[in-house]
Amino acid sequence: MLVATSPAELTGLERRVSDIDRTVGLVRSEPTYLEVLPAGVDKGSALRHLADRCGVPLARVAAIGDNPNDVPLLRAAGLGAAVGDGDPAAQRAADVVVGPCGTAIAELVALLLAERSAGTGDPPVDDATTTGGRPVDDATATGGRPVNGATATGGPAPGRPPRR
């Protein structure tokens, strides 16, 4: 992990690290943090490995993230949720955008519980846009309001099509 005093400093560091070793993966986890990882290793590959090892289909996994280093994780999970006050790259990669960091996990759990109770049986979480045939907005997962207040779409985050 390389830590800079300003985001601009990392641009030069990224180039220098790439010049030294082009096989490593580089990702910014915060505006001033640069992570240097072995090629092919990221949170998504870790999630796939863990789910496989535990015998859990990825379609049954929900993940939440807020920064660019979470993008592979959000894409690998059956339901990727981004924090409402997180990085735009994470929001674009997610299926749904929930509330800000302080309430995001609780809102994701409420969304999943509402999805489960709205359907018959135990619906998969691999399609974040429906709950038993109804849009997620209609599930009123957080006491009668959309999951992310006025900004919730109830479906995929902006720029991301729903998974099928």
Side-chain angles (χ1 to χ4, degrees):
M1 165 104 50
L2 303 173
V3 180
T5 56
S6 73
E9 283 183 319
L10 288 183
T11 303
L13 285 173
E14 283 174 309
R15 282 192 299 263
R16 290 182 69 192
V17 171
S18 291
D19 289 344
I20 293 168
D21 186 347
R22 296 191 186 279
T23 66
V24 297
L26 301 174
V27 66
R28 291 191 189 200
S29 52
E30 291 283 340
T32 57
Y33 294 179
L34 177 65
E35 295 182 27
V36 182
L37 303 168
V41 174
D42 57 37
K43 289 185 179 185
S45 64
L47 180 63
R48 285 187 292 277
H49 174 78
L50 183 60
D52 182 60
R53 185 160 183 161
C54 293
V56 177
L58 284 170
R60 302 288 310 150
V61 174
I64 192 165
D66 63 350
N67 278 310
N69 65 326
D70 295 315
V71 167
L73 172 79
L74 298 171
R75 289 183 176 152
L79 175 64
V83 173
D85 57 356
D87 189 275
Q91 292 179 0
R92 285 189 304 272
D95 298 300
V96 67
V97 175
V98 292
C101 192
T103 61
I105 294 173
E107 290 187 23
L108 177 59
V109 170
L111 173 72
L112 293 171
L113 291 174
E115 183 174 302
R116 181 178 206 147
S117 67
T120 55
D122 189 19
V125 295
D126 59 353
D127 184 353
T129 63
T130 60
T131 57
R134 297 185 345 220
V136 172
D137 288 297
D138 294 344
T140 58
T142 55
R145 62 184 174 81
V147 173
N148 193 24
T151 62
T153 63
R160 180 155 181 196
R163 295 183 205 177
R164 298 283 173 205

